[in-house]
């Protein structure tokens, strides 16, 4: 079992590595990135990337991912290129391997936000530079880093905490499961039957939890999930690419709305998190997401700081 503690100064070398999921990084590496992000939050401008360029490939639209990476590179003295798949030869049939090899000769790192996780893995396989997963249908590791940073800032650490994720067992849930398990935070995911997280991801998370002493649970009961929770997390009921299922999902997920009745089962000082964008009146009511326990905008800002810490670690 790892003995690293929150607040311990860590020196970890991630230079030149890829960042595809939290499966690929250790507890020490996660805590190191959080440590760096906290430091960079207090020292926003660091001109360490003069002449360096990040290519950002978007096959899914974005607000937080694009702006945080682009602003982050600018604050570090580098440049970021927005590359829509519609404007690239990828959209006309060029292979991922060829794209990876070409971009490796032009830029210093690639961030991609796409659908299939296999596409990110293929890109990393053929690129000679670091590849960052900005989101796939399976994982959202950059979001999970921001989530963990927010929890650490407000709660002071992870041991002894319980996080409850309520809703679709999607990419956000997958990364949160792995992230919480690795840092020692208990995590329960409550989803309707048929919408639970991927079983292989749950198995991985439970394996990591054995090393840190955390508890990982999957349930169909949102009330039991939030009982005595320190953190309640929600996401949209219908993600990008699932629009045809909207009506069915709204019906199936209605009992999983985070509202005043549900949160009454959590600890009084719980914090509410949401990866945004949010649909008030669907997965969460306005009084919760806009209320005193909500930390969603602190969480959103933290995307910038963890992105910068990640870029610094991979490109230094």
């Amino acid at each position: 079992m790892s003995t690293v503690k929150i607040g311990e100064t860590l020196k970890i070398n991630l230079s030149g590595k890829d960042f595809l999921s939290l499966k690929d990084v250790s507890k020490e590496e996660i805590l190191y990135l959080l440590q760096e992000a906290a430091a960079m939050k207090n020292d926003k401008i660091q001109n360490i990337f003069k002449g360096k360029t990040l290519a950002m490939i978007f096959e899914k639209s974005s607000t937080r991912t694009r702006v945080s990476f682009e602003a982050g590179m600018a604050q570090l003295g580098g440049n970021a290129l927005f590359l829509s798949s519609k404007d690239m030869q990828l959209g006309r049939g060029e292979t991922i391997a060829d794209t990876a090899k070409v971009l490796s000769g032009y830029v210093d790192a690639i961030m991609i936000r796409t659908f299939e996780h296999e596409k990110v893995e293929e890109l990393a396989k053929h690129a000679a530079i670091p590849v960052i997963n900005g989101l796939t249908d399976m994982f959202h590791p950059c979001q999970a880093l921001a989530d963990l940073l927010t929890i650490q800032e407000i709660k002071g650490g992870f041991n002894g905490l319980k996080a409850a994720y309520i809703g679709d067992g999607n990419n956000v849930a997958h990364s949160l499961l792995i992230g919480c398990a690795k840092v020692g935070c208990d995590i329960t995911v409550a989803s309707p039957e048929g919408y639970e997280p991927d079983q292989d991801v749950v198995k991985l998370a439970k394996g990591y939890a054995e090393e840190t002493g955390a508890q990982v649970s999957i349930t169909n009961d949102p009330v039991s999930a939030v009982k005595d929770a320190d953190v309640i997390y929600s996401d949209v009921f219908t993600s990008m690419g699932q629009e045809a299922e909207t009506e069915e999902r709204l019906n199936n997920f209605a009992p999983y709305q985070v509202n005043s009745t549900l949160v009454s089962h959590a600890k009084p000082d719980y914090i509410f998190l949401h990866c945004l964008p949010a649909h008030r009146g669907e997965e969460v009511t306005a009084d919760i997401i806009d209320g005193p326990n909500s930390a969603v905008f602190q969480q959103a800002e933290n995307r910038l700081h963890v992105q910068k810490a990640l870029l610094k670690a991979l490109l230094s």
Side-chain angles (χ1 to χ4, degrees), residues 46-293:
Q46 298 182 21
N47 292 312
I48 60 175
F49 280 175
K50 183 178 180 180
K52 291 188 182 293
T53 303
L54 171 70
M56 306 187 302
I57 301 173
F58 285 90
E59 296 190 322
K60 283 189 174 185
S61 58
S62 167
T63 298
R64 280 149 290 277
T65 299
R66 178 179 178 179
V67 176
S68 57
F69 271 109
E70 196 162 338
M73 280 299 290
Q75 290 180 13
L76 294 174
N79 301 288
L81 300 175
F82 174 79
L83 304 172
S84 167
S85 60
K86 295 180 293 185
D87 302 322
M88 298 177 66
Q89 296 300 333
L90 267 178
R92 299 180 62 244
E94 183 171 39
T95 67
I96 296 171
D98 286 356
T99 299
K101 292 171 185 176
V102 169
L103 290 179
S104 293
Y106 293 153
V107 301
D108 300 280
I110 303 169
M111 187 282 297
I112 181 169
R113 182 177 168 95
T114 187
F115 293 88
E116 304 88 353
H117 190 71
E118 293 76 16
K119 187 173 289 186
V120 175
E121 294 176 329
E122 181 77 1
L123 189 69
K125 177 181 177 182
H126 295 281
I129 55 178
V131 171
I132 300 170
N133 175 11
L135 175 143
T136 64
D137 287 343
M138 182 58 72
F139 296 113
H140 200 352
C142 293
Q143 178 65 56
L145 285 179
D147 303 338
L148 294 175
L149 178 60
T150 308
I151 295 170
Q152 180 177 287
E153 287 177 332
I154 298 174
K155 295 297 184 180
F158 304 108
N159 291 337
L161 295 184
K162 176 185 177 181
Y165 176 95
I166 310 299
D168 195 10
N170 58 14
N171 49 4
V172 174
H174 291 161
S175 290
L176 194 67
L177 275 166
I178 294 172
C180 284
K182 284 200 169 189
V183 300
C185 178
D186 294 349
I187 173 74
T188 299
V189 173
S191 305
E193 186 174 353
Y195 296 94
E196 298 92 344
D198 182 88
Q199 291 184 359
D200 290 338
V201 173
V202 174
K203 184 177 179 180
L204 277 174
K206 288 185 175 180
Y208 301 138
E210 289 180 2
E211 299 177 5
T212 61
Q215 298 293 318
V216 172
S217 304
I218 308 299
T219 181
N220 300 123
D221 181 8
V223 173
S224 67
V226 303
K227 181 174 174 56
D228 297 325
D230 301 278
V231 180
I232 299 176
Y233 199 123
S234 184
D235 191 8
V236 293
F237 291 157
T238 306
S239 298
M240 284 180 285
Q242 300 171 336
E243 289 78 8
E245 306 171 22
T246 298
E247 185 175 351
E248 178 183 5
R249 281 175 167 269
L250 289 179
N251 289 331
N252 291 337
F253 281 88
Y256 294 80
Q257 182 186 75
V258 178
N259 52 38
S260 58
T261 301
L262 185 61
V263 303
S264 68
H265 299 280
K267 290 181 180 176
D269 63 344
Y270 81 93
I271 60 171
F272 176 74
L273 300 180
H274 193 300
C275 57
L276 302 179
H279 296 163
R280 288 167 175 80
E282 291 184 11
E283 74 272 11
V284 60
T285 53
D287 61 312
I288 300 300
I289 193 170
D290 299 318
N293 294 76

